[in-house]
Amino acid sequence: MKIEIPKNINSLRLDIGASTTAPNTSNWIRDIDDCFVIVVEPVLKNVTTSAMFMSYSPNFKNTYFIHAAVDDVEELEESLIYVTKKNIGCSSLHLPQPHRHEIDHEEKTTKVNLKYILDKIDWENVNFDYIEYFKTDTQGNDINVLKSMGEYLSKIAILEIECTTWDEYYNVPEEDEILSFLKENNFKFLKNCDDSLVNGVYVDRLFVNKDFL
């Protein structure tokens, strides 16, 4: 596996947990001609639907889809993901609470760490040396997504992360644990994401790496 970056690309973005139609990636390739996006999504239907939805864009060639789940694992390993019935975008590696989400089926996927993926870029021959924008929304596994990056964590300039799942899943980290991890790793809170307000609390938040201020 090698991730080929076109010569006209000047920035890199990551979309981890793309959901049903990968709206973040769709907007990015629509608005930015020289941006390359790596999309990692564990539910196969979401991968195929998103790719089909964006295939009509002239910048679709600037996307790289990976059917996998990101986790803090040392090597590739098989896993199951719980695919939710009402909203497939709420599927998770973590077992949903029965009063919040009904499981449609369990699906096999591969767990991978992000360092493994990012090592497949020829960093010596691209027009960027950092990750311009990193979005992660994995229904309770986001701190493990960040931990899986190794030294690439310090290359993130802007981070969009789901900080809470409202007790929708079993055995997920508390919000304070996520915020402490970000603080320890040089990230500063920027703003709440306006479209993520749930019961008076913002679920998704933006952070900036202080080295990129």
Side-chain angles (χ1 to χ4, degrees), residues 81-101:
I81 185 163
Y82 300 100
V83 180
T84 46
K85 192 170 186 178
K86 186 175 181 180
N87 183 354
I88 195 172
C90 294
S91 304
S92 177
L93 291 174
H94 297 273
L95 180 66
Q97 298 271 9
H99 65 286
R100 300 302 297 270
H101 296 291

Side-chain angles (χ1 to χ4, degrees), residues 143 174-186:
I143 193 170
E174 297 291 334
E175 182 179 11
D176 288 346
E177 182 182 348
I178 296 173
L179 297 178
S180 294
F181 178 84
L182 294 176
K183 185 176 181 180
E184 291 167 4
N185 286 278
N186 207 40

